[in-house]
Amino acid sequence: MESASTFLTIKQAAQQVNKSEQTIRRLVKQYAKTSHIQLEQAPKGNTYLISQTFLAQQYPTPAEQLPIIIEPESGPTIENLQQQLAERDQTIQQLQHRLLEQNDVLNALTSQVNSQRIGRIEELLLSQNEQLGELQKRLPEPPEVLQLPPAPTPPKKGLWQRLFGS
């Protein structure tokens, strides 16, 4: 058990850890049955005392809360990273240039293939036209169309025939 000199009142504990008295009372209530909290009789009633070491464990002071700074192991420096980045950018530019060159070659090949196809289609059309001409020459001449005399037109009906028929 700890000596009485290491125990603080709720007010003293709140001032030491820069917390409200209500926060310290909640902590006392939570750990009331442990050895970290003592109940002392005072003339005006019972007073709770809290262990200074326990208080420090629960609410570390800002100096204790500072993060530990770890020196980086001999990793890449900023200069090395910048150099690597510049090399990567240069590689990207080279790849983009190669891609553009390959795109130009592909366009030229596509154009050449299309020209060849168009030439072949034109050759086929000419060949078919020649065959069609030869077939038309082999066909017999169509017979001349006989003209029939026009059909006689019926005589005109008179007024009385149109009105009364017959």
Side-chain angles (χ1 to χ4, degrees):
M1 194 137 171
E2 299 177 78
S3 67
S5 64
T6 60
F7 281 82
L8 302 172
T9 64
I10 290 177
K11 186 174 186 176
Q12 292 169 340
Q15 289 174 351
Q16 183 174 342
V17 293
N18 198 22
K19 300 287 181 184
S20 70
E21 289 184 31
Q22 187 62 34
T23 301
I24 303 302
R25 281 191 186 93
R26 281 194 296 268
L27 183 67
V28 167
K29 183 178 178 183
Q30 187 177 0
Y31 292 96
K33 305 271 185 208
T34 65
S35 63
H36 305 296
I37 308 298
Q38 288 184 355
L39 183 62
E40 185 178 90
Q41 292 191 3
K44 294 183 180 179
N46 294 336
T47 302
Y48 284 99
L49 300 174
I50 185 167
S51 166
Q52 199 170 16
T53 55
F54 176 69
L55 191 63
Q57 290 173 354
Q58 296 299 313
Y59 303 107
T61 59
E64 295 170 349
Q65 291 177 345
L66 291 176
I68 299 172
I69 298 175
I70 300 173
E71 290 294 324
E73 296 178 15
S74 59
T77 61
I78 293 175
E79 291 83 22
N80 288 342
L81 292 173
Q82 287 175 340
Q83 182 182 2
Q84 290 174 358
L85 184 60
E87 289 172 2
R88 193 191 88 211
D89 288 345
Q90 186 178 7
T91 303
I92 289 172
Q93 286 178 349
Q94 290 172 350
L95 290 172
Q96 286 175 339
H97 183 67
R98 284 178 50 194
L99 181 63
L100 289 173
E101 288 175 350
Q102 290 176 354
N103 193 21
D104 289 343
V105 169
L106 182 62
N107 285 340
L109 289 174
T110 302
S111 177
Q112 184 180 1
V113 166
N114 286 342
S115 296
Q116 289 174 351
R117 286 182 179 170
I118 289 172
R120 180 68 181 141
I121 290 171
E122 287 174 346
E123 288 174 10
L124 289 173
L125 285 174
L126 287 174
S127 171
Q128 288 177 353
N129 283 342
E130 288 174 6
Q131 290 174 358
L132 185 59
E134 289 176 16
L135 288 175
Q136 285 177 344
K137 289 177 185 176
R138 291 183 190 173
L139 286 176
E141 291 291 324
E144 290 184 26
V145 178
L146 297 176
Q147 289 188 352
L148 298 174
T153 57
K156 281 188 163 182
K157 294 183 179 180
L159 175 66
W160 293 109
Q161 288 176 338
R162 286 188 297 210
L163 288 176
F164 298 109
S166 354

